[in-house]
Amino acid sequence: MNARRPRAPHGTDARYHGSASCPPCRCTRCTRAHRHADIQRELRRRQGERNLIPIEELRPHIDMLRASGMSQTMIAREAGVSQAVISYIVTGRNKTCQTDKARRILAVQPHRFDGNTERPATGSTRRIRALYNLGHSRADIAALSGLSVASISLLADGRWKTIDNQAATALAAAYRQLAHRRGTNWKNERRAAAEGWHGPTAWDDIDNPAEQPDVETAAPLESNRDELAAIRRAEIAHLIDFNLSHEEIATRLGMAPGYVRDIARSIRNDLEKAA
């Protein structure tokens, strides 16, 4: 059974008029509120303002908000109107909307999500894939965002279509910390390259579903690989100085033991040549 819409409080024009689930009220407070509302409507009319706005002027804005991932309930909550007002505009059930409500609806900005709703996972998936492109590991992303490693994997795979706003906000904060430096996880970097996942510099508005990556402004792949290789080599050389085994180094850096052995051999050869 659907829950009834809450009754408008006493002392309001809405309670004076009533609704399908609430009969009109003619108490002193509601009558006074109705008269005051009539006066305000008349003042607006004399000033050349409209008391009612055609829904054709509101629907494009609502369509834009919905395209950004906001639900009708979320739009209504941001505008301070009932969800029915938004629904009736979308479906065309109402042909006009009160001016004050229309103004509040038009003031709502896209991508406004609060802790009471879910949001599209598009931006979160793109952020994780961009961090993979930089060679960051699932563990590093999970540690900074507070999400589980499994959640990071599911988002990277595109398995989640929506995400809790609190989790999306935490992931965005982790992204800001990691997006300006490279990681050392070559497996993630290789997967990103194979899948065609772009790095942070390719995105202007990463949360916009209609946004396309700008590959011309993205950092050149070869320079990225050279930089990452230098970082890996420096990390391995640093840990070799502590007499750690190749297996221990591989575990710490998330690399294959054979790769670590090859780099260690190359470092040793360079040292012998320099001696």
Side-chain angles (χ1 to χ4, degrees), residues 69-247:
M70 298 178 69
S71 66
Q72 291 186 27
T73 302
M74 186 71 258
I75 297 170
R77 189 156 54 236
E78 287 290 314
V81 301
S82 70
Q83 191 272 337
V85 170
I86 305 299
S87 178
Y88 291 167
I89 293 174
V90 171
T91 61
R93 177 171 175 176
N94 285 354
K95 302 304 179 184
T96 58
C97 178
Q98 294 178 7
T99 299
D100 59 335
K101 293 180 180 178
R103 288 173 176 169
R104 296 202 296 273
I105 292 171
L106 292 172
V108 177
Q109 298 299 308
H111 305 297
R112 292 291 300 274
F113 303 98
D114 59 26
N116 298 321
T117 188
E118 290 187 334
R119 59 190 296 179
T122 302
S124 297
T125 294
R126 288 173 175 173
R127 285 182 173 88
I128 290 176
R129 290 176 175 179
L131 294 179
Y132 274 31
N133 178 278
L134 293 177
H136 290 294
S137 68
R138 294 179 303 164
D140 288 342
I141 302 171
L144 283 175
S145 65
L147 276 67
S148 68
V149 171
S151 297
I152 300 299
S153 293
L154 290 171
L155 282 165
D157 292 342
R159 300 284 295 276
W160 286 3
K161 302 306 178 185
T162 60
I163 184 174
D164 177 79
N165 183 63
Q166 185 176 358
T169 300
L171 183 58
Y175 175 79
R176 288 192 294 271
Q177 295 184 57
L178 295 172
H180 301 292
R181 65 176 187 264
R182 301 199 65 86
T184 57
N185 191 295
W186 63 273
K187 289 185 178 179
N188 282 355
E189 187 202 11
R190 181 178 295 176
R191 181 185 178 189
E195 299 280 0
W197 295 344
H198 301 281
T201 58
W203 299 102
D204 182 38
D205 184 1
I206 200 168
D207 287 303
N208 184 357
E211 176 83 5
Q212 295 297 319
D214 186 355
V215 295
E216 292 184 0
T217 60
L221 183 59
E222 288 302 324
S223 63
N224 286 348
R225 286 176 175 170
D226 292 343
E227 181 184 353
L228 181 59
I231 293 174
R232 291 172 181 161
R233 186 182 181 89
E235 290 282 355
I236 293 172
H238 175 72
L239 294 177
I240 287 175
D241 288 341
F242 287 92
N243 295 320
L244 296 178
S245 69
H246 297 158
E247 288 71 19

Side-chain angles (χ1 to χ4, degrees), residues 26-69:
R26 297 294 185 266
C27 72
T28 302
R29 293 171 58 197
C30 291
T31 301
R32 185 184 302 117
H34 171 64
R35 289 174 179 169
H36 178 73
D38 273 346
I39 292 172
Q40 294 300 314
R41 285 190 283 266
E42 179 62 19
L43 287 174
R44 287 198 297 268
R45 187 187 67 79
R46 293 185 180 185
Q47 293 172 358
E49 297 183 18
R50 295 173 294 178
N51 288 318
L52 296 174
I53 304 297
I55 63 170
E56 287 75 13
E57 298 182 20
L58 300 176
R59 189 176 293 161
H61 184 72
I62 293 176
D63 289 343
M64 181 269 291
L65 296 176
R66 295 176 68 196
S68 77

Side-chain angles (χ1 to χ4, degrees), residues 245-261:
S245 69
H246 297 158
E247 288 71 19
E248 289 176 308
I249 295 174
T251 300
R252 290 194 180 195
L253 299 181
M255 301 176 180
Y259 177 82
V260 173
R261 281 194 293 271

